[in-house]
Amino acid sequence: MNDTLYLVIPCYNEEEALPETARQLKEKMDEYIEAGTVSKDSKILFVNDGSKDGTWALIQSLCDQDPLFAGVCLSRNRGHQNALLAGLMTAKDHADVAISLDADLQDDIHAMDRMLMQYYAGHDVVYGVRSSRKKDTFFKRHSAQGFYRLMRALGVDVVYNHADYRLMSRRALEGLAEFDEVNLFLRGIVPLIGFPSTTVDYERGKRIAGESKYPFKKMLSFALDGITSFSIKPLKLITSLGILIFVVSLIMVIWALVAYFSGWTVSGWTSILASIWMIGGIQLLCLGVIGQYVGKIYGEAKHRPRYLISETIIHKRP
Ligand code: UDP
Ligand code: MG
């Protein structure tokens, strides 16, 4: 018990929430350091994900005031998952254990007590799981829960109601570093790392300040990313659909021949028009799904860097 803990917090335009977040987290960390739960070299690491407001200036001034704070600045906005990865990979080189959380403190920071207990009890990964979503909007609650169910149904191993609030040991972080996929969906990757893991429940609160940085469009594309990065079931469904349509078309051909030889060739305008539209629609849909996967391969094949760091501030304690 005296391991170095890094809290990793991705921040995108969070100048409104940051001062309060920093205050609450500092209080918590001081408590841990005082009690000897974590070492004096532990840090609160903010990752600036190319914010357009004064977030980085704020992080810089926090770092100057107190060596407990540290900062990483990305060269531009790369999205939540990449920012988080940048922070975790920085933590990997300095800490024994890292906990990732959002800048808006929607995740109850007191759950970290139990996370650390589980870590010292020998777990490498501790997932924070939302026991209730009472404070989320109706839409967010239902869309998120539907998403977890869908992922499960598609055979993806995700922890139900767990977002990115989790503890990872250095061993687990080193494991994470081995996964170099560009289409990053950490919730799907972490369970693949293995090692002993457990969950800790907490109640999800409201954003302390500012607005959600995940508008509906981003949320939807994130969900699609999760599915197409971890499941090929949609492709299998398409194959089944193709077989089904083929069987139906055989029946249709037989029916058409029977009709022809029986001499009742009616002017079947409606049925022809309907089938052309339907099959055309299904084909386009299937092409779209396949296109999603081809797009993924395209991204992975280019293997562009997931983030670039323009500046890192980690002050040593005097
Ligand atoms: N975030 C980020 N880059 C982005 C969007 C969001 O680093 O492009 C961060 C954001 O600052 C916050 C976390 O990701 O710390 C989660 O975002 P938010 O709380 O807005 O999402 P929600 O809780 O509404 O899903
Ligand atoms: Mg939030």
Side-chain angles (χ1 to χ4, degrees), residues 18 31 54 65 96 113 135 151 160 214-215 240 260 270 283:
L18 215 52
E31 217 174 89
Q65 285 161 26
D96 301 305
D113 305 357
K135 286 176 186 144
M151 289 291 276
Y160 188 73
Y214 261 104
S240 313
Y260 178 77
T270 325
Q283 280 179 335

Side-chain angles (χ1 to χ4, degrees), residues 11-317:
C11 307
Y12 176 58
N13 296 344
E14 295 284 7
E15 69 179 0
E16 282 168 81
L18 215 52
E20 178 59 17
T21 304
R23 193 191 63 76
Q24 289 192 24
L25 288 177
K26 179 180 159 52
E27 205 173 285
K28 196 82 204 163
M29 276 299 243
D30 285 345
E31 217 174 89
Y32 288 149
I33 293 172
E34 192 110 322
T37 315
V38 302
S39 84
K40 285 203 288 292
D41 296 323
S42 299
K43 302 235 179 269
I44 300 171
L45 176 70
F46 292 108
V47 182
N48 173 36
D49 183 18
S51 299
K52 291 176 180 68
D53 63 1
T55 301
W56 180 238
L58 218 74
I59 295 172
Q60 279 175 314
S61 81
L62 282 168
C63 292
D64 289 343
Q65 285 161 26
D66 191 333
L68 178 64
F69 294 107
V72 165
C73 186
L74 301 192
S75 59
R76 54 159 295 164
N77 180 249
R78 297 293 291 136
H80 175 210
Q81 299 287 294
N82 290 311
L84 193 52
L85 183 74
L88 290 174
M89 291 301 105
T90 307
K92 169 176 73 78
D93 301 331
H94 297 92
D96 301 305
V97 51
I99 298 178
S100 50
L101 66 163
D102 288 351
D104 55 6
L105 295 193
Q106 279 189 285
D107 310 310
D108 176 18
I109 59 170
H110 302 294
M112 290 199 292
D113 305 357
R114 283 173 289 143
M115 284 185 167
L116 284 168
M117 255 157 65
Q118 294 291 357
Y119 165 70
Y120 284 121
H123 292 98
D124 285 276
V125 181
V126 186
Y127 301 99
V129 170
R130 295 160 188 177
S131 57
S132 105
R133 281 178 171 269
K134 271 183 247 136
K135 286 176 186 144
D136 265 347
T137 61
F138 177 85
F139 175 73
K140 180 100 185 185
R141 187 162 67 226
H142 287 271
S143 60
Q145 283 173 348
F147 170 67
Y148 289 111
R149 288 208 188 90
L150 180 66
M151 289 291 276
R152 281 286 177 85
L154 291 173
V156 189
D157 185 15
V158 287
V159 179
Y160 188 73
N161 257 341
H162 157 72
D164 285 304
Y165 187 25
R166 77 176 84 79
L167 174 147
M168 291 176 83
S169 69
R170 182 190 296 172
R171 188 160 71 139
L173 291 173
E174 277 163 1
L176 177 63
E178 299 287 320
F179 287 76
D180 51 3
E181 43 203 277
V182 173
N183 297 291
L184 204 58
F185 186 74
L186 290 170
R187 277 162 232 195
I189 296 175
V190 176
L192 295 179
I193 297 172
F195 298 129
S197 66
T198 186
T199 58
V200 152
D201 288 347
Y202 69 95
E203 217 168 282
R204 180 158 161 98
K206 271 205 166 77
R207 200 171 227 290
I208 54 170
E211 276 167 14
S212 173
K213 283 18 175 213
Y214 261 104
F216 179 66
K217 223 175 112 192
K218 252 197 203 170
M219 229 158 70
L220 195 67
S221 96
F222 184 57
L224 272 179
D225 237 21
I227 292 168
T228 50
S229 289
F230 284 89
S231 172
I232 53 164
K233 271 215 179 142
L235 291 179
K236 289 187 182 153
L237 284 178
I238 286 183
T239 315
S240 313
L241 193 67
I243 294 170
L244 185 77
I245 290 179
F246 178 68
V247 172
V248 171
S249 73
L250 275 185
I251 297 169
M252 292 295 278
V253 167
I254 294 168
W255 175 75
L257 285 177
V258 169
Y260 178 77
F261 287 114
S262 312
W264 28 276
T265 38
V266 279
S267 52
W269 182 81
T270 325
S271 61
I272 287 177
L273 200 74
S275 47
I276 287 174
W277 277 95
M278 247 182 71
I279 295 192
I282 292 171
Q283 280 179 335
L284 279 181
L285 178 77
C286 296
L287 272 179
V289 173
I290 294 168
Q292 287 280 327
Y293 286 92
V294 176
K296 283 265 144 91
I297 300 169
Y298 176 71
E300 297 294 346
K302 278 185 301 194
H303 211 269
R304 288 186 177 148
R306 292 172 287 185
Y307 58 83
L308 295 172
I309 292 176
S310 64
E311 202 178 336
T312 306
I313 313 176
I314 299 177
H315 292 310
K316 280 253 171 299
R317 259 178 209 278

